[in-house]
Amino acid sequence: MGEQPIFTTRAHVFQIDPSTKKNWVPASKQAVTVSYFYDSTRSSYRIISVDGAKVIINSTITPNMTFTKTSQKFGQWADSRANTVFGLGFSSEQQLTKFAEKFQEVKEAAKLARDRSQEKIETSSNHSQESGRETPSSTRASSVNGTDDEKASHGGPADAHLKSENDKLKIALAQSSSNVKKWETELQTLRESNARLTSALQESAASIEHWKKQFLACKEENDQLRNKIEELEEQCNEINKEKERNAQLSRRLQELETELQDKELELEELRKQGEIIPQLMSECESVSQQLQAAEKKNKDLEEKVVTLRTEVEESKHRQTNLKTELKNFLDVLDGKIDELHDFRQGLSKLGVDN
């Protein structure tokens, strides 16, 4: 089935600077996919990461590798075959912890696969040695009993089976010798890689100290920046309050301007009315004169009324006197008339008598 991904995460990838062996060089501009792959045919594990069309991590995990957490979100491991140190920056501590646990798990699996492979090599080597010990006896048997062809013709099926087994053991011995040479070469490569890895780890430890100092300096600078940010936030709050006060003052100013415009309109109306005031004053003076004349006339009329009232009273008094006199006169007149009537009657009687 080939290689299959068994774990995938995302992280920023870094590599140690090959010239200084201290500074980190970004291998990706942004967070990329980092995956563990398992090759079932070779029983091997690799960490692979690709940025676009570029392979930035291709690291085969061996039992001698170690993944080190250097901070809450950063970890690294050295790859002697690639002759470099890889670093991964995660977005959270949980992602880093999961990656480190998977690294340890894969490392144990690689160690187990290596042990199994060594057991197979030792088993093949033991079979080869046994085959080597059996070969002289077979030779002696051949010398005693004849050639192999004679043994095959005279020994029967058991001898043919034994020859076949000997041939298989010879082939296994040859393969075992080849594998031994291959593993010796691999062992020498691993020793050289371990030496380079030890050197890289020592340089990494020095780099860690350097990064710790930089981290402390950055932390102190971060604290200073945080205090500065708090001060700026307080200043921003004051500025916001000042802006709010300015906005209130602006609204008040607009209200006052509106009131001022209203007052100016009222003043303009008063000015227009002020232009009419002299005319009104003259009219008022004329009315005052007329009022004074009317008051004078009223006074005169009041005097006349008083005079007329006096005259009316006097007239009433005279009238009363006249009525009394008229009554007296009428009474006298009635008497006179009565006397005249009597006189006429007397004359009439006298005339009749005559």
Side-chain angles (χ1 to χ4, degrees):
M1 294 178 63
E3 286 184 310
Q4 297 292 331
I6 58 175
F7 180 82
T8 300
T9 186
R10 292 184 66 83
H12 290 270
V13 180
F14 299 86
Q15 287 187 6
I16 202 73
D17 189 351
S19 59
T20 63
K21 297 292 184 180
K22 293 181 179 180
N23 300 323
W24 289 106
V25 178
S28 63
K29 297 180 180 179
Q30 57 187 1
V32 295
T33 301
V34 181
S35 301
Y36 286 92
F37 280 81
Y38 173 62
D39 189 348
S40 58
T41 58
R42 299 180 180 179
S43 297
S44 62
Y45 296 87
R46 288 196 300 169
I47 300 176
I48 297 176
S49 179
V50 179
D51 186 8
K54 180 182 177 182
V55 179
I56 54 178
I57 298 179
N58 185 9
S59 176
T60 301
I61 300 176
T62 63
N64 298 323
M65 287 184 176
T66 301
F67 185 82
T68 305
K69 295 181 183 179
T70 58
S71 69
Q72 291 183 347
K73 298 181 181 180
F74 193 87
Q76 65 182 42
W77 78 96
D79 189 341
S80 58
R81 294 183 179 181
N83 194 22
T84 188
V85 180
F86 293 103
L88 297 179
F90 296 89
S91 60
S92 66
E93 185 177 358
Q94 290 79 7
Q95 291 182 348
L96 173 61
T97 301
K98 290 181 180 179
F99 189 89
E101 291 174 352
K102 195 65 180 178
F103 193 98
Q104 185 65 27
E105 178 184 341
V106 169
K107 174 183 172 181
E108 295 295 332
K111 181 178 180 181
L112 183 60
R114 185 189 66 178
D115 294 341
R116 290 177 179 175
S117 178
Q118 288 179 351
E119 289 177 358
K120 291 181 179 179
I121 292 172
E122 291 175 356
T123 303
S124 299
S125 177
N126 292 333
H127 283 303
S128 299
Q129 291 175 1
E130 291 176 0
S131 175
R133 287 194 297 269
E134 290 174 356
T135 301
S137 61
S138 299
T139 303
R140 285 193 301 270
S142 297
S143 61
V144 173
N145 297 325
T147 64
D148 292 338
D149 293 336
E150 291 176 351
K151 184 178 180 180
S153 59
H154 300 286
D159 294 335
H161 177 70
L162 182 60
K163 181 180 179 183
S164 175
E165 289 295 329
N166 287 335
D167 293 337
K168 290 180 180 179
L169 288 174
K170 289 178 181 179
I171 294 171
L173 179 61
Q175 291 178 350
S176 177
S177 299
S178 176
N179 289 333
V180 168
K181 292 180 180 180
K182 178 181 177 181
W183 285 109
E184 287 177 352
T185 304
E186 184 70 19
L187 181 60
Q188 183 63 28
T189 303
L190 288 174
R191 287 175 180 172
E192 294 175 356
S193 298
N194 287 336
R196 290 194 298 268
L197 180 59
T198 302
S199 176
L201 286 175
Q202 292 175 353
E203 293 175 357
S204 177
S207 177
I208 289 172
E209 292 297 326
H210 174 71
W211 281 108
K212 282 183 179 178
K213 293 179 181 179
Q214 288 190 353
F215 174 75
L216 293 175
C218 290
K219 185 178 180 181
E220 184 178 358
E221 184 180 359
N222 187 23
D223 293 337
Q224 294 176 357
L225 290 174
R226 187 175 297 170
N227 294 331
K228 184 66 175 177
I229 288 172
E230 290 178 355
E231 294 176 358
L232 291 175
E233 286 179 350
E234 292 178 358
Q235 293 178 3
C236 288
N237 292 331
E238 292 296 329
I239 291 172
N240 291 331
K241 292 179 180 178
E242 190 66 26
K243 286 182 178 178
E244 186 176 355
R245 287 194 293 268
N246 290 337
Q248 293 176 355
L249 291 175
S250 299
R251 290 193 294 270
R252 181 58 182 166
L253 181 60
Q254 291 178 356
E255 292 175 358
L256 292 174
E257 288 178 351
T258 304
E259 292 179 1
L260 181 60
Q261 291 176 357
D262 295 338
K263 296 296 182 183
E264 288 179 352
L265 293 174
E266 291 179 2
L267 182 59
E268 187 66 26
E269 292 293 332
L270 292 174
R271 285 176 182 173
K272 291 179 181 179
Q273 293 178 4
E275 294 175 357
I276 305 173
I277 286 174
Q279 182 179 355
L280 294 175
M281 291 291 290
S282 61
E283 292 179 358
C284 184
E285 290 177 358
S286 175
V287 170
S288 296
Q289 292 175 0
Q290 291 177 2
L291 182 61
Q292 290 176 358
E295 287 178 350
K296 186 176 181 181
K297 286 180 181 181
N298 190 22
K299 187 175 182 181
D300 293 339
L301 289 172
E302 287 179 354
E303 290 177 355
K304 287 181 179 181
V305 167
V306 171
T307 304
L308 288 172
R309 283 179 180 176
T310 305
E311 290 176 356
V312 167
E313 292 293 331
E314 291 176 355
S315 176
K316 284 181 179 181
H317 184 67
R318 286 194 300 268
Q319 189 177 6
T320 302
N321 292 332
L322 286 173
K323 284 181 179 181
T324 303
E325 290 178 359
L326 181 61
K327 184 178 179 180
N328 293 330
F329 177 75
L330 289 174
D331 290 337
V332 174
L333 183 61
D334 288 337
K336 295 296 182 181
I337 291 172
D338 289 337
E339 289 178 359
L340 183 60
H341 183 65
D342 291 339
F343 180 74
R344 281 182 180 179
Q345 286 178 354
L347 286 176
S348 296
K349 289 177 179 181
L350 289 177
V352 172
D353 291 337
N354 289 326

PDB file of all heavy atoms in Angstrom, residues 292-311:
ATOM      1  N   GLN A 292     -55.452 115.902  26.741  1.00  0.00           N
ATOM      2  CA  GLN A 292     -55.475 117.064  27.625  1.00  0.00           C
ATOM      3  C   GLN A 292     -56.620 118.000  27.258  1.00  0.00           C
ATOM      4  O   GLN A 292     -57.337 118.511  28.131  1.00  0.00           O
ATOM      5  CB  GLN A 292     -54.142 117.810  27.553  1.00  0.00           C
ATOM      6  CG  GLN A 292     -52.979 117.045  28.204  1.00  0.00           C
ATOM      7  CD  GLN A 292     -51.661 117.761  28.042  1.00  0.00           C
ATOM      8  OE1 GLN A 292     -51.608 118.839  27.392  1.00  0.00           O
ATOM      9  NE2 GLN A 292     -50.611 117.169  28.596  1.00  0.00           N
ATOM     10  N   ALA A 293     -56.794 118.190  25.913  1.00  0.00           N
ATOM     11  CA  ALA A 293     -57.902 119.051  25.477  1.00  0.00           C
ATOM     12  C   ALA A 293     -59.229 118.441  25.879  1.00  0.00           C
ATOM     13  O   ALA A 293     -60.145 119.137  26.358  1.00  0.00           O
ATOM     14  CB  ALA A 293     -57.824 119.252  23.971  1.00  0.00           C
ATOM     15  N   ALA A 294     -59.294 117.090  25.695  1.00  0.00           N
ATOM     16  CA  ALA A 294     -60.541 116.417  26.065  1.00  0.00           C
ATOM     17  C   ALA A 294     -60.776 116.514  27.560  1.00  0.00           C
ATOM     18  O   ALA A 294     -61.909 116.708  28.021  1.00  0.00           O
ATOM     19  CB  ALA A 294     -60.495 114.960  25.623  1.00  0.00           C
ATOM     20  N   GLU A 295     -59.661 116.353  28.344  1.00  0.00           N
ATOM     21  CA  GLU A 295     -59.808 116.477  29.791  1.00  0.00           C
ATOM     22  C   GLU A 295     -60.263 117.897  30.173  1.00  0.00           C
ATOM     23  O   GLU A 295     -61.095 118.087  31.066  1.00  0.00           O
ATOM     24  CB  GLU A 295     -58.478 116.150  30.475  1.00  0.00           C
ATOM     25  CG  GLU A 295     -58.136 114.662  30.443  1.00  0.00           C
ATOM     26  CD  GLU A 295     -56.796 114.386  31.085  1.00  0.00           C
ATOM     27  OE1 GLU A 295     -56.059 115.365  31.382  1.00  0.00           O
ATOM     28  OE2 GLU A 295     -56.456 113.179  31.275  1.00  0.00           O
ATOM     29  N   LYS A 296     -59.690 118.899  29.460  1.00  0.00           N
ATOM     30  CA  LYS A 296     -60.094 120.288  29.731  1.00  0.00           C
ATOM     31  C   LYS A 296     -61.571 120.487  29.404  1.00  0.00           C
ATOM     32  O   LYS A 296     -62.327 121.080  30.178  1.00  0.00           O
ATOM     33  CB  LYS A 296     -59.212 121.237  28.940  1.00  0.00           C
ATOM     34  CG  LYS A 296     -59.469 122.704  29.268  1.00  0.00           C
ATOM     35  CD  LYS A 296     -58.491 123.579  28.501  1.00  0.00           C
ATOM     36  CE  LYS A 296     -58.731 125.052  28.849  1.00  0.00           C
ATOM     37  NZ  LYS A 296     -57.826 125.956  28.117  1.00  0.00           N
ATOM     38  N   LYS A 297     -61.941 119.935  28.197  1.00  0.00           N
ATOM     39  CA  LYS A 297     -63.341 120.056  27.814  1.00  0.00           C
ATOM     40  C   LYS A 297     -64.221 119.321  28.814  1.00  0.00           C
ATOM     41  O   LYS A 297     -65.298 119.787  29.189  1.00  0.00           O
ATOM     42  CB  LYS A 297     -63.544 119.462  26.423  1.00  0.00           C
ATOM     43  CG  LYS A 297     -62.987 120.341  25.317  1.00  0.00           C
ATOM     44  CD  LYS A 297     -63.229 119.685  23.953  1.00  0.00           C
ATOM     45  CE  LYS A 297     -62.664 120.540  22.832  1.00  0.00           C
ATOM     46  NZ  LYS A 297     -62.912 119.910  21.518  1.00  0.00           N
ATOM     47  N   ASN A 298     -63.737 118.158  29.235  1.00  0.00           N
ATOM     48  CA  ASN A 298     -64.502 117.378  30.201  1.00  0.00           C
ATOM     49  C   ASN A 298     -64.658 118.162  31.501  1.00  0.00           C
ATOM     50  O   ASN A 298     -65.726 118.172  32.124  1.00  0.00           O
ATOM     51  CB  ASN A 298     -63.798 116.050  30.439  1.00  0.00           C
ATOM     52  CG  ASN A 298     -64.640 115.082  31.252  1.00  0.00           C
ATOM     53  OD1 ASN A 298     -65.869 115.207  31.304  1.00  0.00           O
ATOM     54  ND2 ASN A 298     -63.984 114.129  31.895  1.00  0.00           N
ATOM     55  N   LYS A 299     -63.578 118.847  31.882  1.00  0.00           N
ATOM     56  CA  LYS A 299     -63.640 119.650  33.098  1.00  0.00           C
ATOM     57  C   LYS A 299     -64.647 120.786  32.934  1.00  0.00           C
ATOM     58  O   LYS A 299     -65.444 121.080  33.835  1.00  0.00           O
ATOM     59  CB  LYS A 299     -62.242 120.169  33.422  1.00  0.00           C
ATOM     60  CG  LYS A 299     -62.166 120.870  34.771  1.00  0.00           C
ATOM     61  CD  LYS A 299     -60.726 121.252  35.062  1.00  0.00           C
ATOM     62  CE  LYS A 299     -60.636 121.912  36.426  1.00  0.00           C
ATOM     63  NZ  LYS A 299     -59.241 122.318  36.749  1.00  0.00           N
ATOM     64  N   ASP A 300     -64.549 121.425  31.761  1.00  0.00           N
ATOM     65  CA  ASP A 300     -65.502 122.511  31.493  1.00  0.00           C
ATOM     66  C   ASP A 300     -66.926 121.988  31.504  1.00  0.00           C
ATOM     67  O   ASP A 300     -67.849 122.614  32.066  1.00  0.00           O
ATOM     68  CB  ASP A 300     -65.187 123.162  30.152  1.00  0.00           C
ATOM     69  CG  ASP A 300     -63.848 123.904  30.178  1.00  0.00           C
ATOM     70  OD1 ASP A 300     -63.396 124.248  31.293  1.00  0.00           O
ATOM     71  OD2 ASP A 300     -63.239 124.088  29.093  1.00  0.00           O
ATOM     72  N   LEU A 301     -67.092 120.790  30.853  1.00  0.00           N
ATOM     73  CA  LEU A 301     -68.424 120.200  30.811  1.00  0.00           C
ATOM     74  C   LEU A 301     -68.893 119.845  32.214  1.00  0.00           C
ATOM     75  O   LEU A 301     -70.066 119.993  32.541  1.00  0.00           O
ATOM     76  CB  LEU A 301     -68.417 118.965  29.924  1.00  0.00           C
ATOM     77  CG  LEU A 301     -68.260 119.232  28.415  1.00  0.00           C
ATOM     78  CD1 LEU A 301     -68.081 117.926  27.654  1.00  0.00           C
ATOM     79  CD2 LEU A 301     -69.473 120.001  27.884  1.00  0.00           C
ATOM     80  N   GLU A 302     -67.901 119.341  33.028  1.00  0.00           N
ATOM     81  CA  GLU A 302     -68.275 119.024  34.398  1.00  0.00           C
ATOM     82  C   GLU A 302     -68.737 120.278  35.142  1.00  0.00           C
ATOM     83  O   GLU A 302     -69.709 120.260  35.899  1.00  0.00           O
ATOM     84  CB  GLU A 302     -67.101 118.365  35.122  1.00  0.00           C
ATOM     85  CG  GLU A 302     -66.849 116.925  34.674  1.00  0.00           C
ATOM     86  CD  GLU A 302     -65.657 116.320  35.391  1.00  0.00           C
ATOM     87  OE1 GLU A 302     -64.983 117.070  36.129  1.00  0.00           O
ATOM     88  OE2 GLU A 302     -65.400 115.099  35.203  1.00  0.00           O
ATOM     89  N   GLU A 303     -68.014 121.391  34.895  1.00  0.00           N
ATOM     90  CA  GLU A 303     -68.407 122.660  35.531  1.00  0.00           C
ATOM     91  C   GLU A 303     -69.780 123.085  35.040  1.00  0.00           C
ATOM     92  O   GLU A 303     -70.629 123.537  35.825  1.00  0.00           O
ATOM     93  CB  GLU A 303     -67.364 123.722  35.233  1.00  0.00           C
ATOM     94  CG  GLU A 303     -66.033 123.475  35.941  1.00  0.00           C
ATOM     95  CD  GLU A 303     -64.985 124.524  35.573  1.00  0.00           C
ATOM     96  OE1 GLU A 303     -65.288 125.368  34.701  1.00  0.00           O
ATOM     97  OE2 GLU A 303     -63.877 124.465  36.132  1.00  0.00           O
ATOM     98  N   LYS A 304     -69.966 122.905  33.694  1.00  0.00           N
ATOM     99  CA  LYS A 304     -71.272 123.275  33.142  1.00  0.00           C
ATOM    100  C   LYS A 304     -72.370 122.383  33.731  1.00  0.00           C
ATOM    101  O   LYS A 304     -73.473 122.853  34.020  1.00  0.00           O
ATOM    102  CB  LYS A 304     -71.252 123.156  31.618  1.00  0.00           C
ATOM    103  CG  LYS A 304     -70.450 124.247  30.945  1.00  0.00           C
ATOM    104  CD  LYS A 304     -70.491 124.069  29.427  1.00  0.00           C
ATOM    105  CE  LYS A 304     -69.697 125.174  28.739  1.00  0.00           C
ATOM    106  NZ  LYS A 304     -69.748 125.032  27.274  1.00  0.00           N
ATOM    107  N   VAL A 305     -72.018 121.094  33.869  1.00  0.00           N
ATOM    108  CA  VAL A 305     -73.003 120.175  34.440  1.00  0.00           C
ATOM    109  C   VAL A 305     -73.362 120.604  35.845  1.00  0.00           C
ATOM    110  O   VAL A 305     -74.535 120.592  36.266  1.00  0.00           O
ATOM    111  CB  VAL A 305     -72.453 118.721  34.398  1.00  0.00           C
ATOM    112  CG1 VAL A 305     -73.303 117.807  35.256  1.00  0.00           C
ATOM    113  CG2 VAL A 305     -72.406 118.220  32.977  1.00  0.00           C
ATOM    114  N   VAL A 306     -72.302 120.969  36.595  1.00  0.00           N
ATOM    115  CA  VAL A 306     -72.553 121.429  37.969  1.00  0.00           C
ATOM    116  C   VAL A 306     -73.460 122.673  37.947  1.00  0.00           C
ATOM    117  O   VAL A 306     -74.418 122.814  38.715  1.00  0.00           O
ATOM    118  CB  VAL A 306     -71.224 121.711  38.691  1.00  0.00           C
ATOM    119  CG1 VAL A 306     -71.493 122.402  40.041  1.00  0.00           C
ATOM    120  CG2 VAL A 306     -70.443 120.438  38.883  1.00  0.00           C
ATOM    121  N   THR A 307     -73.116 123.602  37.012  1.00  0.00           N
ATOM    122  CA  THR A 307     -73.914 124.825  36.891  1.00  0.00           C
ATOM    123  C   THR A 307     -75.345 124.500  36.512  1.00  0.00           C
ATOM    124  O   THR A 307     -76.319 125.030  37.068  1.00  0.00           O
ATOM    125  CB  THR A 307     -73.285 125.748  35.862  1.00  0.00           C
ATOM    126  OG1 THR A 307     -71.919 126.004  36.232  1.00  0.00           O
ATOM    127  CG2 THR A 307     -74.033 127.071  35.761  1.00  0.00           C
ATOM    128  N   LEU A 308     -75.432 123.572  35.507  1.00  0.00           N
ATOM    129  CA  LEU A 308     -76.770 123.187  35.057  1.00  0.00           C
ATOM    130  C   LEU A 308     -77.530 122.506  36.169  1.00  0.00           C
ATOM    131  O   LEU A 308     -78.741 122.710  36.316  1.00  0.00           O
ATOM    132  CB  LEU A 308     -76.659 122.270  33.843  1.00  0.00           C
ATOM    133  CG  LEU A 308     -76.216 122.945  32.531  1.00  0.00           C
ATOM    134  CD1 LEU A 308     -75.958 121.908  31.445  1.00  0.00           C
ATOM    135  CD2 LEU A 308     -77.255 123.937  32.068  1.00  0.00           C
ATOM    136  N   ARG A 309     -76.802 121.660  36.937  1.00  0.00           N
ATOM    137  CA  ARG A 309     -77.474 120.999  38.050  1.00  0.00           C
ATOM    138  C   ARG A 309     -77.991 122.049  39.052  1.00  0.00           C
ATOM    139  O   ARG A 309     -79.089 121.944  39.584  1.00  0.00           O
ATOM    140  CB  ARG A 309     -76.517 120.014  38.739  1.00  0.00           C
ATOM    141  CG  ARG A 309     -76.339 118.738  37.970  1.00  0.00           C
ATOM    142  CD  ARG A 309     -75.361 117.824  38.688  1.00  0.00           C
ATOM    143  NE  ARG A 309     -75.180 116.568  37.957  1.00  0.00           N
ATOM    144  CZ  ARG A 309     -74.338 115.623  38.312  1.00  0.00           C
ATOM    145  NH1 ARG A 309     -73.567 115.788  39.393  1.00  0.00           N
ATOM    146  NH2 ARG A 309     -74.248 114.528  37.588  1.00  0.00           N
ATOM    147  N   THR A 310     -77.110 123.064  39.279  1.00  0.00           N
ATOM    148  CA  THR A 310     -77.531 124.142  40.198  1.00  0.00           C
ATOM    149  C   THR A 310     -78.754 124.874  39.647  1.00  0.00           C
ATOM    150  O   THR A 310     -79.726 125.161  40.365  1.00  0.00           O
ATOM    151  CB  THR A 310     -76.375 125.111  40.419  1.00  0.00           C
ATOM    152  OG1 THR A 310     -75.231 124.378  40.888  1.00  0.00           O
ATOM    153  CG2 THR A 310     -76.729 126.196  41.423  1.00  0.00           C
ATOM    154  N   GLU A 311     -78.646 125.159  38.337  1.00  0.00           N
ATOM    155  CA  GLU A 311     -79.762 125.850  37.699  1.00  0.00           C
ATOM    156  C   GLU A 311     -81.014 125.002  37.736  1.00  0.00           C
ATOM    157  O   GLU A 311     -82.124 125.501  37.959  1.00  0.00           O
ATOM    158  CB  GLU A 311     -79.402 126.218  36.260  1.00  0.00           C
ATOM    159  CG  GLU A 311     -78.337 127.315  36.181  1.00  0.00           C
ATOM    160  CD  GLU A 311     -77.934 127.587  34.738  1.00  0.00           C
ATOM    161  OE1 GLU A 311     -78.437 126.865  33.826  1.00  0.00           O
ATOM    162  OE2 GLU A 311     -77.099 128.485  34.502  1.00  0.00           O
TER     163      GLU A 311
END
